[in-house]
Amino acid sequence: MILSGGPASAFAEGARRAPPEIFDMGKPLLGICYGMQTMVAQLGGAVAQAARGEYGRARIESCADSELLGARSVAREVWMSHADRVTELPPGFKALAASDNAPFAAVADEARGFFGLQFHPEVTQTEGGSEVLSNFVHGVCGCAREWTPANIVARALDEIREQTRGEGVILGLSGGVDSSVAAALLQRAIGAQLTCIFVDTGLLRMNEGDLVMQTFAEHLGVRVRRVDAADEFFARLKGVTEPERKRKIIGNLFIEIFEREAARVEDAKWLAQGTIYPDVIESAGDSGGGSGQATLIKSHHNVGGLPQRMRLKLLEPLRDLFKDEVRAVGRELGLPESLIARHPFPGPGLAVRILGEVRREFAGVLRRADAIFMEELQNHKMHSHVSQAFAVFLPVKSVGVTGDKRAYEHVIALRAVETTDFMTADWARLPHALLASASARICNEVPGVSRVVYDISAKPPATIEWE
């Protein structure tokens, strides 16, 4: 069993506790961050607020041999995200590792198979994190290795057929990795029962609409209906600046369009979406699909804003997968690498990369700046080395000089991150020559832009998207 991290404090009044019976079941147990803290507190140890929080990269030193972390005196970089720390261990526990700010960065009661980690082994930035989890799952617990792309596909195909039972399915196709893999999976499972609806919101990347139609309709044999809804989206978003309102408006309008188009699809009973597990976690506060204990980070149009009155049932075949797993499934299904390797794109599109009010002219500026950034990443052979990259339109103007005259023009921010699970991410150390070229081209080729900045924030504390 694994007790996960979470946003609560283990010593706060009414703090959520692990069910006491799990400590008497004779089963291996791993507590991560908050999971470790509540385990320690419940078993007789102590947890207190640290003098300072520990967020981001940290260095730990092993102080004992263990099946979980390996040999004593091994140092590694890990990812921390906590304001509290363990100050006293319960009976039977010993320290396995420490950091400068956490004297008990890893602990164990090896006789009972109980382990605790203050750091997060599940994130990309923790050195050897996958090995730590493997040591617990396969070493301590003795689990088999059955979570493979082939098995995931086989299970998903069976579940899709069992759920739909010959009924028609509509998929909201965006052209991104998630919806593309979902389309390929559904096409293999139910074939002619599937109709994809591609909604061109006017908030897509450069030439994306034509690319989607060419890829799916012409090469994959998927039935795709293209809907030009740009006027509707810009009209609904007029004057709206608050990020959550934008997401809700876009989500609800998507549903309206799906319902409208569904009336034209015979026997359509299901709405399929490319929801993946980070979407579920980060929107757990309003999705109704999680435990109800997670904190809402953002609403996603594909898990939030679904009206209860919606007549279509919801089908989410990728809901249990992280992004790297989705890509592995796509490769298992035979999708081209050019599609699988595409950088993620948010469901609300450029609307959440235009800070403040979303206007058609702003979308045009951002689309051109983003395309230049992508071209420069390709030119410098860096596109495949970053997990996600994009441009952001800022709601400010900056003084500049163009043509020897004073200008007061828009500012574009560039963002590039490295990650595998998209739950955490670090900013990409792009070559200065790439950034210089992208900045010069954007300022020279995109009218109305005179300044470009680069975002060097990690997730956490930031998110990958700006809104």
Side-chain angles (χ1 to χ4, degrees):
M1 292 174 286
I2 297 179
L3 300 177
S4 74
S9 178
F11 55 83
E13 184 178 352
R16 190 169 177 82
R17 297 283 187 256
E21 58 268 24
I22 71 170
F23 302 116
D24 299 318
M25 294 175 65
K27 301 290 185 183
L29 182 64
L30 174 63
I32 297 174
C33 196
Y34 180 81
M36 166 183 162
Q37 292 171 5
T38 192
M39 176 172 64
V40 165
Q42 289 179 243
L43 293 177
V47 179
Q49 186 172 7
R52 59 182 175 87
E54 201 168 22
Y55 300 97
R57 295 183 186 275
R59 187 173 180 83
I60 65 168
E61 294 267 357
S62 295
C63 54
D65 295 340
S66 70
E67 189 171 6
L68 192 68
L69 298 183
R72 178 195 309 261
S73 300
V74 173
R76 71 177 79 208
E77 278 205 343
V78 300
W79 191 266
M80 296 281 198
S81 183
H82 66 101
D84 301 340
R85 68 182 186 180
V86 173
T87 58
E88 182 181 341
L89 293 180
F93 277 77
K94 68 177 182 180
L96 297 181
S99 71
D100 288 341
N101 194 47
F104 302 112
V107 301
D109 178 343
E110 293 178 311
R112 288 192 284 178
F114 292 175
F115 296 87
L117 301 174
Q118 185 59 75
F119 62 91
H120 288 266
E122 75 277 13
V123 305
T124 309
Q125 291 78 17
T126 289
E127 182 183 350
S130 295
E131 287 77 8
V132 171
L133 289 174
S134 180
N135 290 342
F136 178 73
V137 173
H138 302 300
V140 176
C141 300
C143 293
R145 299 176 183 269
E146 298 177 351
W147 190 251
T148 65
N151 287 345
I152 293 171
V153 168
R155 187 189 70 168
L157 295 176
D158 288 341
E159 290 179 351
I160 291 167
R161 291 165 184 149
E162 176 64 24
Q163 282 185 276
T164 60
R165 293 182 177 273
E167 295 175 332
V169 177
I170 294 175
L171 171 70
L173 182 64
S174 69
V177 175
D178 303 332
S179 68
S180 298
V181 173
L185 194 58
L186 288 162
Q187 178 76 2
R188 179 174 293 189
I190 58 176
Q193 291 171 236
L194 174 66
T195 300
C196 291
I197 296 177
F198 169 54
V199 179
D200 190 339
T201 63
L203 296 165
L204 301 175
R205 290 172 285 198
M206 186 74 77
N207 302 321
E208 189 156 31
D210 294 338
L211 177 64
V212 168
M213 293 304 295
Q214 182 180 23
T215 300
F216 286 90
E218 296 179 16
H219 296 303
L220 297 180
V222 179
R223 185 166 55 199
V224 183
R225 296 188 180 187
R226 184 173 184 173
V227 182
D228 184 358
D231 291 343
E232 293 181 75
F233 279 91
F234 283 116
R236 292 279 186 96
L237 291 167
K238 185 176 181 180
V240 178
T241 60
E242 204 276 318
E244 280 298 293
R245 279 198 64 204
K246 288 196 283 189
R247 287 179 175 272
K248 295 289 189 182
I249 288 169
I250 291 168
N252 287 328
L253 183 52
F254 259 95
I255 299 305
E256 288 179 27
I257 293 171
F258 286 148
E259 289 188 313
R260 188 172 70 206
E261 293 300 315
R264 305 173 188 175
V265 179
E266 187 177 351
D267 195 33
K269 303 295 183 183
W270 295 86
L271 172 62
Q273 298 183 130
T275 307
I276 65 174
Y277 200 53
D279 297 340
V280 177
I281 294 171
E282 293 190 336
S283 56
D286 72 345
S287 71
S291 66
Q293 298 303 316
T295 298
L296 173 65
I297 296 175
K298 57 189 174 183
S299 297
H300 295 256
H301 85 272
N302 57 344
V303 290
L306 295 173
Q308 295 298 317
R309 67 180 185 276
M310 185 174 141
R311 73 172 185 85
L312 297 177
K313 294 173 283 188
L314 193 58
L315 183 64
E316 296 174 322
L318 308 178
R319 187 181 177 89
D320 294 334
L321 305 182
F322 286 93
K323 182 71 72 174
D324 56 324
E325 295 172 321
V326 172
R327 288 196 166 103
V329 166
R331 293 185 181 98
E332 180 70 23
L333 291 168
L335 291 178
E337 192 63 26
S338 59
L339 187 63
I340 296 300
R342 292 193 74 195
H343 289 178
F345 191 60
L350 298 181
V352 292
R353 294 177 179 174
I354 299 171
L355 275 59
E357 184 180 8
V358 179
R359 299 181 187 175
R360 195 184 296 263
E361 58 269 31
F362 294 170
V365 168
L366 180 57
R367 190 177 291 113
R368 294 177 67 179
D370 187 79
I372 290 171
F373 189 26
M374 294 305 106
E375 287 175 11
E376 289 304 314
L377 286 167
Q378 295 282 8
N379 292 342
H380 288 79
K381 303 187 186 307
M382 287 297 296
H383 188 273
S384 62
H385 291 279
V386 298
S387 307
Q388 186 171 357
F390 54 91
V392 180
F393 183 96
L394 302 185
V396 295
K397 287 189 174 183
S398 168
V399 174
V401 178
T402 58
D404 295 329
K405 295 181 180 179
R406 181 182 184 275
Y408 193 55
E409 297 181 319
H410 299 300
V411 179
I412 293 291
L414 303 181
R415 175 83 157 139
V417 299
E418 297 174 350
T419 181
T420 55
D421 55 23
F422 289 83
M423 293 301 298
T424 62
D426 200 7
W427 62 279
R429 276 64 170 174
L430 296 180
H432 289 181
L434 188 164
L435 292 172
S437 180
S439 175
R441 285 191 59 196
I442 290 170
C443 290
N444 286 322
E445 298 177 27
V446 183
V449 176
S450 62
R451 190 179 298 270
V452 174
V453 298
Y454 187 53
D455 181 352
I456 58 170
S457 306
K459 175 187 179 180
T463 56
I464 294 177
E465 298 287 345
W466 277 45
E467 287 193 344

